[in-house]
Amino acid sequence: MLRAVQLTKTFGGLTVLQDVSLDFRPGEVHALMGENGAGKSTLMKMLAGLHRPDGGEIQWRGRTVRFANPHDALAQGIAMVHQELMPIPDLDVAENLLLGLEPVDAFGWVDRAELHRQARHWLAALDTDLDTRQPMRRLSVAQIQVVEIAKALARQADVILMDEPTAALSDHEVAALFRAIDGLRRRGVAVVYTTHKMDEVFRLADRLSVLRDGRLVHTAPAAELTPSALINHMVGRELAKVFPPVVTTPGEVVLEVRGLTREPAYRDISFTLRRGEVLGLAGLMGAGRTEIAEALYGLRPATAGEIRLRDRPVRLLSPQDALAAGLGMVTEDRKGLGIIPAMSVQHNLTLSALARFSSPTGIDASAESRATAEQIEAYAIKTRDPGQPIGELSGGNQQKVLLARALLAGPDVVILDEPTRGIDIGAKAEIYALIGRLSAAGKAVLLISSELPEILALTHRLLVLRQGELSAELDPRHTTQEEILRHAMPR
Amino acid sequence: KKAEPRKPGEWLVGYSSRDQSAEYTARLGDAVQARAKERGVKLVFVDAQADAQKQISQAENFISQKVDVIILNPCEVEASSPAIDRARAAKIPVINVNSLTKAAPDCYVGSDDEQAGILAMEAIAKKLGGQGNVLMIHGIMGQSAQIHRDAGARKVLAKYPGLKLLDAQTASWDRAKALALTENWIQAHKGKFQAIFAHNDEMAMGALLALERAGLKKDVYVIGVDAIAQALDAVKAGRLDATVFQDAVGQGRGAVDAAILMASKQPFEKEVMIPFQVVTRENVDAFLKK
Amino acid sequence: MTLARRFILDRNLVHRFGIVAVLLLISGLLAATTDSFATASNLTNVARQVSINGILAVGVTFVLLTGGVDLSLGSVVALSGVVCALFAHPGEHALLVPIGMGLLTGGLCGLLNGVLVTRGGIAPFIVTLGMMTVARGLALILSGGKPVADMTPALTDLAGDVGPLPIPLLCFALVALVSWVFLGRFRLGRHLYAVGGNEPAARAAGVSVPKVKLFAYGLCGLLTGLAGVVLAARITTGQPNAGQAYELDAIAAVVIGGTSLSGGVGGVLGTILGVLLIGIINNGLDLLSVSSYYQAVIKGVIIVGAVWLDRRQARS
Amino acid sequence: MTLARRFILDRNLVHRFGIVAVLLLISGLLAATTDSFATASNLTNVARQVSINGILAVGVTFVLLTGGVDLSLGSVVALSGVVCALFAHPGEHALLVPIGMGLLTGGLCGLLNGVLVTRGGIAPFIVTLGMMTVARGLALILSGGKPVADMTPALTDLAGDVGPLPIPLLCFALVALVSWVFLGRFRLGRHLYAVGGNEPAARAAGVSVPKVKLFAYGLCGLLTGLAGVVLAARITTGQPNAGQAYELDAIAAVVIGGTSLSGGVGGVLGTILGVLLIGIINNGLDLLSVSSYYQAVIKGVIIVGAVWLDRRQARS
Ligand SMILES: Nc1ncnc2c1ncn2[C@@H]1O[C@H](COP(=O)(O)OP(=O)(O)OP(=O)(O)O)[C@@H](O)[C@H]1O
Ligand SMILES: Nc1ncnc2c1ncn2[C@@H]1O[C@H](COP(=O)(O)OP(=O)(O)OP(=O)(O)O)[C@@H](O)[C@H]1O
Ligand SMILES: [Mg+2]
Ligand SMILES: [Mg+2]
């Protein structure tokens, strides 16, 4: 019912999508796969009226259509869940969710009671229960993501484009989302779905299409593809074993946390982190993982408790303090606490390590660009040139730049909050390998992730967080996802 | 300071200044305050900051403060009139000082801005023997002083066919703007103009500086209005050719004295004219003393 | 009930108490130190004096909520006043003509601002700065640089009172009330917040951003025109040099009231408080006959101090 | 090479060509229609006249890059000028005293702005609006409302020329050059862009946001003080009411030059172009002896038009 014909898109001379033709059928979940920067979001944005095609056309129910803006697309019944979260911070949850669909009464007044009733209804459809009256800014990234999905459902569109909807979700919400999608499928809605999580694809998709470097390289019913075959199409080569073996044996304690507390998010958190050790922090959304990480990194200091680095108590009141003390972090909120969109890739990448390139005579430009070139190489960052604004990069590539930024500052302790969120498996493999190298290099890593397989495979030890309290310390070699979830589930 | 009940003889007078950040009106204000002190009058002194709307508000405030007399230093001819109407409606006598309004006050102490324009342009005509090109620097467009000084000047220009107005631009009473404007005129009309009339001394000083820096002063006659201290010094030093004196102190005293007569229900003159006078090197010393 | 809910939902009111406190404090001081402040006649004065700034402030609230700004208020007030006066000579036109022309002038200026911002994609600061000088120039051209006098009493009476209440105040009150309901209760009103809060998000959700902005600038212009008419009536002339820097007082009032210059947060209730604060400071300092030099200093300090107090307890 | 790279990295220069075009166009027209524009003496003249706005514009560029704004420029110019003049009476102090006091005054005002913005967490618009009235008041108090005259020639000569070049121009050129290098080549300069581009992210990346902002406002204040001294020297007095609305011309120049008011984008090179454009318009319209009324209209139209052209071809 929706057909892309020879769609082409170029940005600043760089062709990011070329002659892509696909059709999307009612009641079918169509998964778009591809590495970071392959063009998935770009394709979806064109279908949703955010970008104008530079070539080719879009056919809707047999007729050629041109969408001047998302409004047109929505009017036709095409809704989209965007990869980058778009909350309106000071409107409440209900107003965000039903923006543009506000129910009005006879006088044209917005009917608040009805507004909140509908909002709760759509959230319930995702098995989530939020106070719809609280302003959006209060929500955690995961909660925002849920609202964004509900927003698309509320459009009751015939086609829903979902660009990495589960990137910020933990298993509980993911399950709910899948049930919702099955519902849509039954109601004959066409779902276009992008993700970097293999298991999801095969759980959901009826049809799979693979983009590589802006071209459509393969499209087939999901049943006809094996994961390895799929990866093959995406990466264009055999992938080495995804998870590196955990080899290094932890050394002496670098970081020690005692009774860290910040109501209401978390309380009485104590643990140690050793040189060369990878410590996992698992938990459901809103459990407090990010807030603990932010406390360690000085972003939102705890109200009580002690942090000791190398046996010395430290007061970390700002990221500056943390970096100076040898603590680095990659935040979960890429857009809000990560990239500086208008700045070039180079300037973003070297921001935390500028001191190294600075002298009384200023920044050593050549040294800086050399370092940048190396990093772009090392992380296989897809960018036109180091001067390109990072805001123009694909989500995954932005994430890689941020990783490079944190590590370029050369910290001993690295906190990674959802580091592989929105990253393709190729890059994931790279990052897993990198984590391995970090621990081998004697760095201490605190890994927060909602992807349990990842946490299980990469960590030496595993802490589980339940509603802001440590509920268990597990040995990843002798535990299961089920056990982790049992400790994570609120009771 | 909880206002104590007014003793007979100690009158409460409201004064609304046009703009205390302009030198002439600031001096007028000082004179009013000084005189009020001398005569033991309590003064409510406010500044309309060149906004007629604000001035009306201040008249309204005076009324609710139950002052005995209002002295108005009007911002505008028409726009300040409602202030007077309001006061009279409240049976409070009003004195205009320094400039006129459409609505007639009970008493006027001051001078006629048109006269300033006439005197200045006449001085130029005399100096140039009725032959030559003149440039005029306006105050803020639309303000009564600018309008009337312009009108006066043009009356004289009409009388002398040989006297040509080469160009007229505003410098908004501002010295720096007048300086830049004159610099540009020097570029555009170099050697083609023999006199500059600036609507106030601030701008005259600006023009003077531009001419001096271009080494052209000797060829150009410059005259301003107000006789502010610096202008008088410049005249004395033979830098500025002339300025038109208006008597801030005289106006201030006159206004306060009239106010007291009114308040004490004694007879008073309905119009105290304090004429402008042209100040040149010859008579400047007399004014420097004031 | 609905009223109560509005208060809760007007997000900024929850932490406007800082301003309220300052407002009460200052009023208290003035009532104690002067015998004229707390009189009925003076309070009517204050009401009358805040009306024009109030109408402007409410208008520009809409623009600021979208994350824009309007620097042309003062000049457009002058222009609309002049146009109004030109049509207000006795016995020439029906009363509605000068009023209508004044509003129309303001509205058109506002719409032009809106078009240049949306279609032209030019920063509001630049667009409205341009309009500021252009409108001033037009006011001078149309009036020949001289005040346009001789307005029919029918119009100038509009600056008077009905019963105890000044008509300008009634205009302000009506404008404020309608705007308040509109912003809180109507879709377009909510969309203003959405656009100001996160423009791409609003666009992605199918909100027509240009329409919303055009509306905001147009309405602001219309209200500026109204302010121009009220001013002309009050000073019984179309004054081409009137309204100098009025935009600053108006925007200050809005920001004091808690509306963010980056848009998306705030509302009319806060704006009213801001307008009152500025109005009472001006009135009080004149009553105390504080030298205008010190007035400037005091006024600046109070405004910054008030906002500081307000934000501080808003954070805590 | 480094230069080339700087040009590339100075993101705004890439699409400043629109302004350059307008600049050349207007200059061409003026050269053709007047015989005085293209003369050496007039160009020196323009240079002299743009210097003060130029220094202010460069200063406020730093503030705008952090996403802030400074409305107090004009008043602080007046205040610094008055202070400078008070210390400049012949034979009282060494030449450096009045200059130093002028700079100090400006710098302190700027720092105070910075402190209120960072520690106080008050919107820059309000802080600097407050400073605008406070500084104006102080200037009037210190000068008693009358120009502070009788300045030593040693100081007023600083408005003169060395060889063919006006000293004010040299100040402007030096300030611009240093700022340009600083923004492009130094860590703190880079941090300014980061803070303006995404403040929370900059903080998370280890940038000390308060330090950066304090620096920006302080430096802007210092340069404003310099402008005040230059102005006082030029008009040979400390004028308490000088500098009215200078902030608007300065900010306009910066925005015309492509620096975004929301911060993070722009730079000094664009600002210089903006300053030149405004200066040449003012000069040209006087040379053509266009009526003041129409000057306002034309100026507004050209500025908006220039930015529109510029942004349009920047998009394409
Ligand atoms: N606005 C833009 N301007 C310039 N280039 C862009 C813009 N948006 C995307 N690109 C480029 O287009 C390419 C495809 O981006 P896109 O976001 O579609 O990738 P993607 O498949 O969604 O990757 P990911 O899985 O990381 O989200 C990338 O190389 C990106 O740099
Ligand atoms: N900026 C914020 N302001 C107020 N509350 C917040 C904020 N961010 C998170 N919270 C709340 O703090 C709690 C912990 O949030 P946090 O983001 O740390 O959860 P988490 O364990 O990191 O889960 P995830 O990272 O998957 O969202 C949640 O209740 C969340 O709503
Ligand atoms: Mg994507
Ligand atoms: Mg988290």
Side-chain angles (χ1 to χ4, degrees):
Chain A
M1 101 178 112
L2 178 65
R3 171 177 279 129
V5 183
Q6 304 269 304
L7 281 181
T8 300
K9 182 75 185 170
T10 59
F11 286 112
L14 183 87
T15 303
V16 302
L17 207 68
Q18 197 155 22
D19 300 334
V20 173
S21 303
L22 279 172
D23 39 14
F24 306 99
R25 310 197 180 95
E28 181 179 81
V29 176
H30 192 142
L32 273 182
M33 303 299 289
E35 294 185 279
N36 297 126
K40 305 181 293 296
S41 299
T42 306
L43 176 58
M44 286 186 165
K45 284 177 182 170
M46 283 193 287
L47 296 173
L50 258 101
H51 288 327
R52 305 256 183 83
D54 296 322
E57 62 179 32
I58 299 169
Q59 290 176 0
W60 173 247
R61 301 212 155 99
R63 289 182 296 97
T64 298
V65 286
R66 330 188 122 279
F67 298 139
N69 52 42
H71 186 269
D72 299 354
L74 282 164
Q76 298 288 339
I78 302 175
M80 176 166 178
V81 180
H82 293 271
Q83 180 176 7
E84 43 303 300
L85 302 174
M86 296 188 179
I88 296 163
D90 293 287
L91 293 188
D92 66 31
V93 170
E95 286 174 324
N96 268 272
L97 207 160
L98 292 162
L99 183 58
L101 303 175
E102 302 84 353
V104 292
D105 63 19
F107 317 101
W109 293 33
V110 173
D111 180 343
R112 298 224 150 244
E114 175 63 12
L115 182 76
H116 286 278
R117 204 191 54 70
Q118 290 186 13
R120 280 192 299 276
H121 166 76
W122 292 112
L123 287 171
L126 291 168
D127 191 354
T128 308
D129 162 37
L130 275 173
D131 172 9
T132 55
R133 295 201 189 286
Q134 69 183 318
M136 205 69 177
R137 64 165 71 258
R138 291 259 192 72
L139 272 52
S140 69
V141 176
Q143 292 164 316
I144 294 172
Q145 178 88 71
V146 173
V147 175
E148 295 273 335
I149 297 170
K151 204 167 164 183
L153 296 182
R155 296 308 189 259
Q156 291 173 290
D158 305 330
V159 177
I160 300 186
L161 310 158
M162 298 189 176
D163 196 351
E164 300 187 30
T166 57
L169 298 185
S170 51
D171 302 7
H172 175 67
E173 296 77 28
V174 173
L177 173 62
F178 287 2
R179 282 195 296 280
I181 292 179
D182 291 333
L184 294 171
R185 195 196 324 247
R186 278 195 299 281
R187 290 218 315 280
V189 175
V191 177
V192 185
Y193 193 95
T194 309
T195 183
H196 292 291
K197 301 178 180 173
M198 287 299 140
D199 50 336
E200 292 183 357
V201 187
F202 290 94
R203 152 80 173 74
L204 274 180
D206 306 307
R207 167 173 289 280
L208 280 170
S209 296
V210 181
L211 292 175
R212 195 195 309 154
D213 300 330
R215 297 170 181 281
L216 180 65
V217 292
H218 188 85
T219 175
E224 298 174 10
L225 271 173
T226 63
S228 58
L230 173 59
I231 293 169
N232 233 318
H233 285 297
M234 288 168 59
V235 192
R237 62 183 142 79
E238 280 293 339
L239 256 207
K241 194 167 161 303
V242 171
F243 294 118
V246 177
V247 282
T248 48
T249 46
E252 76 282 11
V253 172
V254 240
L255 174 73
E256 182 171 9
V257 178
R258 288 199 197 133
L260 211 62
T261 302
R262 187 169 176 285
E263 296 293 355
Y266 56 87
R267 62 206 63 79
D268 192 27
I269 304 294
S270 306
F271 63 86
T272 61
L273 184 52
R274 297 171 170 284
R275 185 174 296 289
E277 179 181 43
V278 180
L279 176 63
L281 189 53
L284 299 183
M285 126 189 203
R289 296 164 300 173
T290 293
E291 293 217 335
I292 291 171
E294 289 180 341
L296 294 176
Y297 188 56
L299 265 167
R300 262 193 278 173
T303 49
E306 184 187 35
I307 303 173
R308 300 176 66 87
L309 271 168
R310 299 179 214 79
D311 285 341
R312 246 179 279 89
V314 286
R315 297 188 68 244
L316 306 174
L317 299 179
S318 75
Q320 230 185 335
D321 301 347
L323 284 163
L327 226 142
M329 174 168 176
V330 177
T331 58
E332 141 190 82
D333 181 359
R334 182 192 308 148
K335 200 146 169 258
L337 287 176
I339 65 168
I340 295 163
M343 261 191 165
S344 65
V345 169
Q346 171 164 341
H347 291 181
N348 268 280
L349 200 154
T350 56
L351 188 57
S352 298
L354 262 188
R356 187 188 311 165
F357 306 104
S358 301
S359 72
T361 64
I363 297 168
D364 178 346
S366 47
E368 188 191 1
S369 17
R370 246 185 285 108
T372 310
E374 287 165 12
Q375 299 296 320
I376 290 180
E377 174 77 46
Y379 294 85
I381 296 168
K382 272 209 192 64
T383 173
R384 217 188 303 131
D385 70 84
Q388 182 180 18
I390 195 173
E392 297 179 353
L393 262 55
S394 75
N397 282 300
Q398 293 176 353
Q399 183 72 2
K400 293 189 202 168
V401 175
L402 294 180
L403 264 163
R405 175 199 285 171
L407 294 174
L408 198 60
D412 308 335
V413 181
V414 188
I415 305 168
L416 305 175
D417 193 359
E418 314 282 4
T420 59
R421 171 171 298 172
I423 290 208
D424 67 53
I425 44 158
K428 263 186 192 152
E430 292 162 20
I431 288 175
Y432 296 153
L434 177 86
I435 293 175
R437 286 205 301 281
L438 286 175
S439 74
K443 310 244 181 244
V445 180
L446 177 64
L447 176 64
I448 301 175
S449 173
S450 303
E451 287 191 47
L452 296 180
E454 181 172 296
I455 277 210
L456 282 171
L458 293 174
T459 59
H460 293 87
R461 270 187 311 137
L462 185 52
L463 301 175
V464 185
L465 209 59
R466 176 197 294 134
Q467 292 171 313
E469 284 167 8
L470 286 181
S471 55
E473 171 172 344
L474 305 169
D475 178 346
R477 280 179 305 271
H478 312 103
T479 186
T480 62
Q481 303 199 15
E482 293 64 32
E483 186 177 5
I484 297 176
L485 283 175
R486 207 169 59 247
H487 289 289
M489 282 300 174
R491 62 158 82 99
Chain B
K1 57 141 194 56
K2 191 84 184 164
E4 63 285 0
R6 214 168 298 150
K7 290 185 231 70
E10 194 194 72
W11 309 107
L12 185 61
V13 174
Y15 179 80
S16 169
S17 165
R18 176 198 299 148
D19 181 1
Q20 282 300 100
S21 69
E23 178 171 11
Y24 178 78
T25 39
R27 267 170 49 227
L28 178 58
D30 296 351
V32 168
Q33 276 167 314
R35 186 59 169 173
K37 211 166 179 7
E38 271 172 50
R39 304 286 309 270
V41 178
K42 258 178 70 203
L43 198 62
V44 184
F45 188 101
V46 295
D47 175 5
Q49 290 159 359
D51 180 349
Q53 205 276 124
K54 199 162 166 43
Q55 192 154 49
I56 297 171
S57 307
Q58 292 169 335
E60 290 163 350
N61 294 346
F62 289 151
I63 294 166
S64 53
Q65 284 174 289
K66 305 198 176 50
V67 299
D68 301 284
V69 184
I70 293 176
I71 304 177
L72 204 64
N73 170 208
C75 296
E76 308 291 346
V77 179
E78 283 87 2
S80 295
S81 297
I84 292 172
D85 302 334
R86 294 256 202 302
R88 310 196 86 187
K91 308 243 174 330
I92 298 178
V94 183
I95 301 170
N96 274 16
V97 65
N98 176 254
S99 52
L100 289 152
T101 49
K102 187 154 110 285
D106 301 84
C107 167
Y108 178 64
V109 181
S111 20
D112 171 4
D113 269 311
E114 204 165 300
Q115 272 306 314
I118 292 173
L119 287 173
M121 202 48 85
E122 283 290 358
I124 291 174
K126 189 146 129 286
K127 169 79 179 175
L128 305 187
Q131 290 295 332
N133 294 333
V134 186
L135 293 166
M136 179 155 58
I137 306 179
H138 287 283
I140 291 177
M141 304 308 271
Q143 276 188 11
S144 69
Q146 174 267 328
I147 294 169
H148 291 93
R149 290 171 192 183
D150 180 50
R154 288 178 190 275
K155 275 197 179 136
V156 178
L157 285 167
K159 275 201 343 222
Y160 298 88
L163 216 53
K164 205 166 137 297
L165 185 63
L166 206 53
D167 193 4
Q169 297 284 359
T170 183
S172 317
W173 307 123
D174 179 68
R175 182 183 300 210
K177 288 204 180 74
L179 173 52
L181 174 61
T182 313
E183 283 173 344
N184 291 340
W185 272 341
I186 290 170
Q187 298 305 322
H189 314 294
K190 190 164 194 160
K192 294 203 221 69
F193 60 98
Q194 292 77 37
I196 294 180
F197 167 38
H199 281 181
N200 75 349
D201 283 341
E202 278 303 335
M203 300 190 292
M205 295 303 291
L208 180 65
L209 285 168
L211 291 164
E212 284 177 341
R213 292 196 178 134
L216 296 174
K217 178 62 193 74
K218 56 188 181 322
D219 324 333
V220 183
Y221 182 89
V222 181
I223 182 168
V225 179
D226 286 347
I228 63 173
Q230 241 188 326
L232 291 174
D233 296 339
V235 172
K236 171 88 176 162
R239 294 171 59 214
L240 186 65
D241 296 284
T243 175
V244 179
F245 172 82
Q246 68 171 321
D247 185 356
V249 177
Q251 291 180 351
R253 291 172 143 264
V256 175
D257 295 345
I260 292 168
L261 291 175
M262 288 177 155
S264 49
K265 307 274 179 298
Q266 292 164 40
F268 58 91
E269 297 177 39
K270 292 204 81 46
E271 185 167 277
V272 185
M273 268 300 170
I274 296 171
F276 286 99
Q277 303 164 53
V278 176
V279 184
T280 59
R281 197 155 188 191
E282 289 67 47
N283 60 353
V284 66
D285 296 315
F287 295 93
L288 277 166
K289 282 188 206 63
K290 296 198 182 180
Chain C
M1 168 50 209
T2 320
L3 200 79
R5 118 133 355 99
R6 295 251 60 68
F7 268 73
I8 295 150
L9 289 178
D10 189 329
R11 179 132 305 102
N12 76 56
L13 199 75
V14 225
H15 44 74
R16 287 280 67 69
F17 293 133
I19 298 295
V20 177
V22 176
L23 208 52
L24 295 177
L25 182 73
I26 293 180
S27 310
L29 279 173
L30 288 171
T33 50
T34 73
D35 48 9
S36 39
F37 177 78
T39 60
S41 75
N42 184 60
L43 294 181
T44 331
N45 283 351
V46 176
R48 196 182 286 114
Q49 292 157 17
V50 299
S51 303
I52 290 174
N53 186 35
I55 295 170
L56 290 172
V58 170
V60 80
T61 302
F62 286 82
V63 172
L64 293 178
L65 280 177
T66 67
V69 67
D70 190 345
L71 299 176
S72 64
L73 298 180
S75 306
V76 174
V77 163
L79 179 58
S80 325
V82 167
V83 171
C84 168
L86 285 172
F87 287 89
H89 300 314
E92 278 186 9
H93 305 282
L95 180 57
L96 283 185
V97 177
I99 297 177
M101 291 306 290
L103 296 179
L104 188 68
T105 310
L108 288 179
C109 293
L111 280 179
L112 183 54
N113 282 335
V115 170
L116 288 167
V117 168
T118 51
R119 298 266 169 288
I122 313 171
F125 188 93
I126 286 290
V127 169
T128 56
L129 188 66
M131 178 60 74
M132 174 180 184
T133 70
V134 171
R136 181 70 60 189
L138 290 177
L140 286 163
I141 293 170
L142 291 178
S143 63
K146 307 194 178 24
V148 182
D150 182 26
M151 289 170 64
T152 161
L155 186 60
T156 53
D157 290 348
L158 290 183
D161 308 353
V162 282
L165 296 176
I167 297 176
L169 176 66
L170 296 179
C171 295
F172 171 35
L174 187 69
V175 166
L177 182 71
V178 172
S179 307
W180 176 53
V181 172
F182 176 84
L183 281 174
R185 287 293 258 151
F186 283 80
R187 275 177 77 168
L188 191 48
R190 303 315 295 165
H191 289 180
L192 259 120
Y193 285 87
V195 169
N198 182 346
E199 190 169 323
R203 182 163 181 275
V207 175
S208 167
V209 175
K211 202 184 82 199
V212 171
K213 286 189 174 176
L214 214 54
F215 167 82
Y217 284 92
L219 182 62
C220 177
L222 194 69
L223 292 177
T224 311
L226 175 61
V229 173
V230 174
L231 178 64
R234 182 161 161 77
I235 64 178
T236 68
T237 28
Q239 193 72 30
N241 63 329
Q244 305 278 359
Y246 277 20
E247 53 275 359
L248 292 182
D249 262 8
I251 298 178
V254 180
V255 179
I256 291 171
T259 296
S260 142
L261 280 157
S262 44
V265 199
V268 171
L269 291 176
T271 298
I272 297 172
L273 294 176
V275 170
L276 287 178
L277 182 63
I278 291 181
I280 286 179
I281 295 174
N282 288 335
N283 172 263
L285 291 174
D286 275 354
L287 292 185
L288 294 167
S289 99
V290 176
S291 139
S292 61
Y293 306 166
Y294 289 90
Q295 280 202 19
V297 177
I298 297 170
K299 193 175 159 186
V301 171
I302 292 183
I303 289 178
V304 174
V307 174
W308 176 73
L309 269 177
D310 188 56
R311 300 296 178 273
R312 209 181 56 154
Q313 56 90 25
R315 270 197 297 282
S316 65
Chain D
M1 165 48 211
T2 320
L3 199 80
R5 129 149 313 116
R6 290 261 70 70
F7 267 76
I8 294 153
L9 291 180
D10 187 331
R11 174 125 302 90
N12 75 62
L13 199 75
V14 220
H15 43 73
R16 288 280 66 69
F17 294 131
I19 298 296
V20 177
V22 177
L23 209 51
L24 295 178
L25 182 73
I26 293 179
S27 311
L29 280 173
L30 287 170
T33 49
T34 73
D35 45 11
S36 41
F37 177 77
T39 61
S41 69
N42 185 58
L43 295 182
T44 332
N45 193 19
V46 174
R48 196 180 291 114
Q49 292 168 7
V50 299
S51 303
I52 290 173
N53 187 33
I55 296 171
L56 291 172
V58 170
V60 81
T61 301
F62 286 84
V63 172
L64 293 180
L65 279 177
T66 66
V69 68
D70 189 345
L71 299 177
S72 64
L73 298 181
S75 306
V76 175
V77 162
L79 178 59
S80 326
V82 167
V83 171
C84 168
L86 286 171
F87 287 89
H89 300 315
E92 278 186 9
H93 306 281
L95 180 57
L96 283 185
V97 177
I99 297 178
M101 292 305 290
L103 296 180
L104 188 67
T105 310
L108 287 179
C109 294
L111 280 179
L112 183 53
N113 282 336
V115 170
L116 288 167
V117 168
T118 51
R119 299 265 168 289
I122 314 171
F125 187 94
I126 284 291
V127 170
T128 57
L129 188 68
M131 179 59 74
M132 175 181 184
T133 71
V134 171
R136 181 69 62 188
L138 290 177
L140 288 162
I141 292 169
L142 291 179
S143 64
K146 300 172 197 53
V148 182
D150 184 25
M151 289 170 66
T152 163
L155 187 61
T156 53
D157 290 349
L158 291 182
D161 308 352
V162 282
L165 295 176
I167 298 176
L169 176 64
L170 296 178
C171 296
F172 171 35
L174 188 70
V175 165
L177 183 70
V178 172
S179 309
W180 177 57
V181 172
F182 175 84
L183 281 176
R185 298 272 286 132
F186 284 82
R187 196 161 150 229
L188 192 47
R190 187 78 58 84
H191 285 177
L192 271 150
Y193 284 90
V195 170
N198 180 350
E199 191 170 320
R203 179 162 179 272
V207 176
S208 165
V209 175
K211 204 183 83 201
V212 170
K213 286 189 173 175
L214 214 54
F215 167 81
Y217 284 92
L219 182 62
C220 178
L222 194 70
L223 291 178
T224 311
L226 175 61
V229 174
V230 174
L231 179 65
R234 182 164 154 79
I235 63 178
T236 70
T237 37
Q239 285 285 2
N241 59 352
Q244 306 276 3
Y246 277 20
E247 54 276 358
L248 292 183
D249 262 8
I251 298 178
V254 180
V255 179
I256 290 172
T259 295
S260 140
L261 280 158
S262 45
V265 189
V268 172
L269 291 177
T271 298
I272 297 172
L273 294 177
V275 170
L276 287 179
L277 182 63
I278 292 181
I280 285 179
I281 296 174
N282 288 334
N283 172 261
L285 291 173
D286 278 351
L287 294 187
L288 294 168
S289 75
V290 176
S291 132
S292 324
Y293 308 166
Y294 289 93
Q295 282 205 14
V297 177
I298 297 169
K299 191 176 162 187
V301 171
I302 292 182
I303 290 178
V304 174
V307 175
W308 176 72
L309 271 176
D310 188 56
R311 301 296 179 273
R312 208 182 57 156
Q313 57 88 25
R315 271 196 296 283
S316 65

